[in-house]
Amino acid sequence: MEKISSRHRAAGVLALLGLVTQIVGFTSWAETTQLVSYLLWGAVALLWRDIPGRSRIQAGALMATGALMLLVARFVYDASIDWPRVLEGNVFVVAMLIGVSFISLIGRQGNQSVGGKRLTGSGGILRTWLGVHFLGTILNLSTIFMVGDRIARRAPLTTPQYLALNRGLSSAALWSPFFASMGLVIALAPEVRYLHIALVGFPIAMLSGAITTLELRRRFDLTEVDGFSLSPKSLLMPLGMAAGVMLFHFWLTPSLSIISIITFLLPGVAVIANLRNGPVFTLKRVRQHAFHRLPAMRGEFSLFLAAGLLTIGLSTLVSAAAGQEWTLFENFGIGQGLLSFVGIVASALLGLHPIIGISVLASMLDLAASDQTLFAFVALSAWSVGTSVGPLSGINLSLQGRYGVSSYQMMRDNLLYAGIMSLLSLGAIAGIGFIQP
């Protein structure tokens, strides 16, 4: 086994302690957000030199910009700033990501955990999309590697396979309660009605699969293109997890948000699943997870925390310069939602992760409870389209790093798809805006 440095071990322990401290904060025992922020930022500081160059530059720029905005607000506009708490932005989301990562401790490790069989042709492409989509609702970015590596056993991946992997995962952002995108929007818009989002987002996600299959069948000869198919048994875990979240949300802990429930439920289930092999075995797996898996998430941690600092800095500066009453839009309705979607997707094409556009937008809005579901769908749909086509999105950078495909080539290959999905999303935004109270 690869030797892990003491720095990585310390960072993994800090991240794990951040998760535990966050879970403690869900009780009435203590308010722990500030401590969680210090633990998670400490982990990022220890792992900073290991973050890939592009991600480090982007995260560093976000941090510097956020800090500069706070300084301008304080010394130019004489704003009152609670400095010990300026690092708290997006810690809920990062804690959720850590919690979700524990799903890899359930069942067997490795590619075998996805099960299924190979297929070819357009049916294989559709089943690849379905497999990545439904596993990705729980496993997030790791699904790309699990399914991609399995397909690549026979031959190097081809463009249709790359696109099926990309679109299958990015479309899950439209409705999955376990996705980082959902965690972010729930943190920004806590009054969002998740069921309304799912009722709109899930059908559009299914259309993504149909669009992908039809487009790739038209553009490529798929006769010898291998696909991947989930076995029915493999769907039990995603469905069971989703059912568990709904059980806690509506009956057992209705006062907690979905992001909070996911944060404690998934690691709890993972620990319980391993305890049948004894406490020593369970402790060993948790230790391996903390030392290996959590440090490997350094890019995600740094981006989300940096975007959180930017959001706090921007909102503080805007309030100080324009007054507490200023907002980008006086009301957030259909027109504002459409403009926001276009702006976030356009920024993704320029290389910014959608989290940045969403966070900046939220910092300049004063959303009423009735507007939050519309805002949430704008954010989720922009995330879905933006990560599929953005050359510097986590999905495309992961495909580039793992399999060598150019992320900019992926952007070009996804332009038509992104255009069609944008039209569907814009129509859905208009529909939600029309019916919301």
Side-chain angles (χ1 to χ4, degrees):
M1 181 178 292
E2 181 184 358
K3 186 177 180 180
I4 302 298
S5 69
S6 58
R7 183 167 49 84
H8 281 206
R9 291 170 183 262
V13 170
L14 288 178
L16 182 59
L17 287 175
L19 172 64
V20 173
T21 306
Q22 181 66 65
I23 293 173
V24 171
F26 298 150
T27 69
S28 58
W29 298 341
E31 207 293 315
T32 62
T33 305
Q34 186 174 342
L35 177 56
V36 174
S37 70
Y38 295 157
L39 291 168
L40 297 181
W41 276 94
V44 169
L46 287 171
L47 297 168
W48 182 255
R49 72 175 73 169
D50 304 310
I51 298 173
R54 286 175 177 170
S55 298
R56 188 166 63 244
I57 291 172
Q58 191 168 17
L62 295 176
M63 294 175 192
T65 304
L68 179 62
M69 288 178 174
L70 287 170
L71 291 172
V72 171
R74 173 64 184 90
F75 294 107
V76 176
Y77 294 100
D78 199 29
S80 176
I81 298 174
D82 187 358
W83 292 105
R85 306 189 75 94
V86 298
L87 300 179
E88 293 181 5
N90 287 340
V91 295
F92 278 85
V93 183
V94 176
M96 186 202 76
L97 290 173
I98 297 172
V100 168
S101 72
F102 275 79
I103 201 72
S104 63
L105 299 186
I106 299 177
R108 293 175 295 174
Q109 291 180 299
N111 294 334
Q112 290 180 345
S113 63
V114 295
K117 61 181 180 180
R118 285 195 180 93
L119 301 166
T120 58
S122 58
I125 288 294
L126 176 59
R127 287 172 174 82
T128 297
W129 184 95
L130 288 169
V132 174
H133 185 84
F134 284 106
L135 283 174
T137 60
I138 298 289
L139 303 179
N140 286 261
L141 192 59
S142 61
T143 311
I144 289 283
F145 307 132
M146 295 170 68
V147 176
D149 287 356
R150 189 175 181 86
I151 299 174
R153 289 177 183 173
R154 178 171 298 179
L157 296 182
T158 62
T159 298
Q161 293 166 329
Y162 290 133
L163 295 176
L165 293 171
N166 168 294
R167 299 174 187 182
L169 184 61
S170 61
S171 56
L174 285 163
W175 68 276
S176 171
F178 304 100
F179 236 64
S181 57
M182 189 67 74
L184 177 67
V185 299
I186 291 177
L188 295 173
E191 301 297 323
V192 61
R193 298 182 178 181
Y194 170 71
L195 288 180
H196 291 190
I197 294 293
L199 287 173
V200 177
F202 183 76
I204 296 178
M206 294 302 101
L207 286 174
S208 164
I211 293 166
T212 296
T213 304
L214 293 173
E215 182 205 356
L216 297 185
R217 184 173 65 183
R218 180 181 61 84
R219 290 175 55 191
F220 302 96
D221 180 5
L222 303 178
T223 305
E224 298 300 323
V225 175
D226 291 321
F228 168 84
S229 180
L230 277 175
S231 63
K233 183 179 179 180
S234 301
L235 289 174
L236 292 178
M237 182 181 67
L239 292 175
M241 289 298 177
V245 170
M246 294 300 104
L247 175 65
F248 275 88
H249 183 59
F250 289 106
W251 287 284
L252 300 180
T253 55
S255 62
L256 292 181
S257 66
I258 287 178
I259 184 175
S260 300
I261 294 169
I262 291 170
T263 302
F264 75 77
L265 180 61
L266 269 66
V269 170
V271 169
I272 293 171
N274 281 272
L275 279 175
R276 62 186 178 184
N277 295 311
V280 174
F281 174 85
T282 303
L283 183 61
K284 181 180 178 182
R285 293 202 72 183
V286 171
R287 181 175 177 272
Q288 289 178 337
H289 189 77
F291 290 168
H292 292 263
R293 178 72 179 100
L294 297 186
M297 298 174 68
R298 52 191 174 267
E300 298 165 81
F301 294 168
S302 62
L303 181 60
F304 278 92
L305 291 176
L309 178 58
L310 174 69
T311 302
I312 290 176
L314 181 59
S315 60
T316 301
L317 179 59
V318 168
S319 297
Q324 294 286 343
E325 302 301 321
W326 184 88
T327 59
L328 179 62
F329 301 121
E330 185 175 347
N331 299 299
F332 194 79
I334 296 175
Q336 294 78 12
L338 298 177
L339 286 173
S340 299
F341 173 89
V342 172
I344 297 170
V345 173
S347 69
L349 283 168
L350 296 175
L352 297 179
H353 194 285
I355 185 181
I356 299 171
I358 294 167
S359 299
V360 169
L361 174 64
S363 70
M364 296 189 291
L365 296 176
D366 183 16
L367 293 168
S370 60
D371 297 331
Q372 293 188 21
T373 298
L374 175 61
F375 168 82
F377 187 78
V378 169
L380 293 171
S381 56
W383 182 299
S384 175
V385 175
T387 53
S388 72
V389 75
L392 300 184
S393 71
I395 295 174
N396 284 331
L397 288 178
S398 296
L399 287 170
Q400 176 175 288
R402 187 79 160 200
Y403 305 112
V405 61
S406 167
S407 59
Y408 285 92
Q409 182 61 47
M410 291 292 293
M411 179 185 74
R412 290 189 290 270
D413 285 332
N414 267 326
L415 285 175
L416 176 60
Y417 166 81
I420 296 173
M421 290 299 293
S422 292
L423 291 176
L424 291 173
S425 298
L426 291 170
I429 290 168
I432 293 174
F434 181 76
I435 65 174
Q436 75 173 2

